[in-house]
Every structure is written in structure tokens, then in C-alpha cells.
Amino acid sequence: MSIPVTSLPLPHSIVKEFTSKGLNFVSNFITGDRNNTNYEVEFSSEIEKLNLTKYQKDLLMDALMQFFSSTHSVDLGDELLISTPPIITFCSQIDRLLGGGISPGEIIELVGEPGSGCTQLCMQIAVDCTLPQQFGGRGDKVLLVDCDGGICVKRLTQISQAALSHLQFLSESSKEPPVTNLSTGQIMSNIHTTRCTDFTQLSSVIYNLNVKCEYGAIIIDSIATNFRYDFGDMRQRTNVLAQISNELHALCIKSPVSVILVNQVRMDGKGDIQPCLGESWSHTADRRLLLRRCQEDTYSATMMKGAKSGESANFRISSSGIRDCVHS
């Protein structure tokens, strides 16, 4: 089972600890025959020798189970996919909720009201994806599809500057190679934005991505904008959404790309918050997070769909971007 540990959705610090001990492949961590239909993940004796904390073991087990039980159409023999690391968010609690970050080949949907932090998180993910792999990024280009008109270049630049400062701090305080050939301009040049003001433009962008995709992440904010008010024919809307869903799944199968979608919310008859676009669309994303604003700069993300459903993570939005909450 020559699957590199770097393909697991784990925090960089834990991956680094494993690889420093020579544990570079999944086969170093577990025992058993995965070809057996009754296969169960069990830690090998090499893992037990590391004296990991319960939290670290739980993270590793969650990552292994998520990796092996993925319902997405992923071929584990695809070397490009399994060698692509997850994208971290710069918030350890969100990364924990996501099992180490945003994995390649998956679709994640962020659901929330205006001001809930969805767009801010999208811009943070866009910046993080461009960062070097040793710092939790992919070193890849990102496509930001702006349907709401809420993507702000000035804010993206601010987050990029903060990320670069953080990387320089990490390289100085650890044994990581210094960040010498990365600048804010280079980060920004790897984030491509396009404006889609109607569903035909959005459909065209997604279709063309299936023809040729050079990105590590595709971010659409918001997928619901061009479908909530432009359609008198609901049957046509359902068909177009189904086509977009199929195109996004096909894209994730063909390339190690992560797709992040923002969806708006509505109130149902009971006064509860529900994602827009209906029941059929709800099957598009592998995981769905509900974002809410709790206090002035404190927010929460709750897993609505996927592993750890019902669990939440708190985060804050600062001038630097998405960060952990500061506990006094």
C-alpha cells in the first residue's frame, strides 16, 4: 500500500513528526489486508512506539477512515491525486473539523447568511492553496469565481501579506527552509478571478474547466446567486443545476482539485435556516459546513453533512484573515 502519508488530511506538524521517524507511507501505520471486505483500520506497532497523545491518535484514525471510506469516485491508484496534500485554513479548529484540511478531489459547500464569514474563508483558502506544501498549501493556482461581487482584491492582498509574514516567522522559528522566493505579488498572481453575472457564464466557466484545469482549487461564491431569481421555469433551473453538479464531480474525478462552493440560506416554515437550491442540489457536496456569526469577530462552523456531522469549530476573522479564537 504505497500511499504517502502526505496524502492524508492531517496537520503539517503531525505529518512532519511521522516522516521524521521514517514513517512515510500508510502501510507504516496500519495492519491488515485492505482487499479483505471485512478490513478494519488498526494501528501498527510502529505507531504505538511513538507514544502519541489520544488527540493525535484520534486525528490519525479520523484521517485514515476519511481517506479509505470516501464516497467520492477517487481512484487510489492515481499517483497525482494521492500525492496532493490537503489545504489548511490557518485555523486549527476548522482544520480539525475537516480532518486536517480540504482534501483533493472533494467538494465542500459553505452555507451561511451574509456576514457569516463564508467569503472571508474562501479568500483565506485561496491564499493558502498557493503557499508551499511544507507550510500547508499546495503551491497551486486558484480560480475564484465571483458571482456576488464580494471578492475584494484589497482584502486578498491583505490576507496574502499576513500569510507571507506568518510563513517567514515559521521558517525562522523552525528548521524549515527559509521563504526567500515568495512575495505577495507572486501569491496574488496565482489567484485568478472571474466575474459571472448569470448562470450561462457560470456554466461556461465550469464546462471549460473540464476541458482544461490548471488549478488546485476552484472557489465559487456564491453558487446560488444566479439561480435564486433568474428562473421562471423551475424545471430548467433543476436541469442546469444538475448539469453543473455533474460537471463538478467529473472535474474532481479527473484532477486533484478541491472545489469550494458558497451557498445562501433561507428560512423554512418552522423558522429554521436551510441551504438554498433544494434537495437535489444537497447531494452535490461531499461535506457541508454551516457558518454563523456569534459575536463581533467570533464565528462558528458546524458540520451539516459528512464525517463529524453536528460538530462545530470556532474561529475569528482578523485583519490577517481566518484565525483561531483567542482564549483569555
Side-chain angles (χ1 to χ4, degrees):
M1 191 184 299
S2 298
I3 301 172
V5 64
T6 52
S7 65
L8 294 177
L10 283 169
H12 172 67
S13 59
I14 295 182
V15 171
K16 184 177 179 180
E17 182 175 352
F18 292 157
T19 55
S20 68
K21 303 291 185 181
L23 305 177
N24 298 306
F25 298 97
V26 170
S27 56
N28 300 137
F29 299 114
I30 58 178
T31 60
D33 179 10
R34 186 164 188 268
N35 293 321
N36 189 326
T37 56
N38 296 319
Y39 177 81
E40 293 184 1
V41 174
E42 294 182 3
F43 290 139
S44 67
S45 59
E46 295 298 321
I47 282 293
E48 301 299 338
K49 292 178 184 178
L50 290 181
N51 295 319
L52 299 178
T53 65
K54 183 179 185 300
Y55 173 72
Q56 289 175 321
K57 284 187 176 181
D58 288 345
L59 269 182
L60 177 57
M61 181 60 77
D62 287 347
L64 290 168
M65 294 304 294
Q66 178 187 329
F67 191 82
F68 288 140
S69 64
S70 173
T71 57
H72 217 48
S73 300
V74 172
D75 180 5
L76 293 180
D78 186 340
E79 293 297 325
L80 187 59
L81 179 64
I82 64 177
S83 62
T84 303
I87 308 169
I88 64 168
T89 65
F90 273 28
C91 174
S92 63
Q93 289 302 303
I94 295 180
D95 292 337
R96 175 195 59 78
L97 189 62
L98 294 173
I102 302 173
S103 301
E106 78 166 334
I107 301 174
I108 286 185
E109 188 174 55
L110 307 177
V111 178
E113 299 176 289
S116 62
C118 291
T119 299
Q120 294 290 322
L121 182 53
C122 284
M123 289 191 285
Q124 182 70 62
I125 293 168
V127 170
D128 293 350
C129 184
T130 69
L131 302 180
Q133 290 190 11
Q134 66 265 33
F135 294 106
R138 286 195 188 149
D140 272 336
K141 297 177 181 177
V142 177
L143 178 63
L144 260 173
V145 182
D146 185 5
C147 300
D148 277 349
I151 301 300
C152 176
V153 174
K154 183 177 179 180
R155 178 59 172 156
L156 271 173
T157 303
Q158 187 180 35
I159 294 173
S160 299
Q161 291 170 340
L164 186 58
S165 297
H166 184 62
L167 263 57
Q168 290 170 339
F169 169 78
L170 288 178
S171 63
E172 291 171 2
S173 59
S174 68
K175 295 181 180 180
E176 294 289 351
V179 183
T180 57
N181 59 346
L182 188 63
S183 66
T184 302
Q186 287 174 311
I187 293 175
M188 292 296 294
S189 68
N190 285 322
I191 301 175
H192 302 171
T193 60
T194 185
R195 184 81 164 93
C196 290
T197 58
D198 59 49
F199 74 91
T200 56
Q201 292 176 349
L202 179 61
S203 298
S204 177
V205 167
I206 296 173
Y207 174 82
N208 289 330
L209 285 170
N210 265 289
V211 176
K212 180 181 180 181
C213 181
E214 58 179 354
Y215 302 104
I218 309 297
I219 302 172
I220 303 176
D221 182 13
S222 143
I223 190 71
T225 299
N226 297 322
F227 292 94
R228 294 194 69 182
Y229 309 111
D230 292 350
F231 281 89
D233 186 345
M234 295 304 293
R235 179 177 296 181
Q236 181 193 17
R237 189 186 89 150
T238 300
N239 291 338
V240 173
L241 282 171
Q243 181 181 358
I244 287 178
S245 178
N246 291 336
E247 293 279 2
L248 291 175
H249 279 283
L251 179 62
C252 289
I253 293 171
K254 292 192 294 186
S255 62
V257 64
S258 298
V259 176
I260 299 93
L261 309 172
V262 174
N263 195 355
Q264 299 168 1
V265 295
R266 59 178 179 81
M267 292 290 186
D268 63 15
K270 299 179 181 179
D272 296 326
I273 292 178
Q274 298 293 340
C276 293
L277 302 182
E279 178 66 24
S280 296
W281 176 259
S282 69
H283 301 294
T284 299
D286 299 300
R287 293 189 283 181
R288 176 180 262 179
L289 291 174
L290 174 63
L291 272 59
R292 289 177 173 172
R293 186 172 186 174
C294 304
Q295 298 176 10
E296 183 176 349
D297 64 345
T298 304
Y299 301 76
S300 69
T302 303
M303 187 69 71
M304 297 182 69
K305 175 186 177 184
K308 301 185 179 180
S309 179
E311 294 189 28
S312 297
N314 292 326
F315 64 97
R316 63 188 176 93
I317 300 176
S318 70
S319 59
S320 299
I322 303 296
R323 295 293 187 270
D324 285 310
C325 289
V326 178
H327 300 286
S328 56

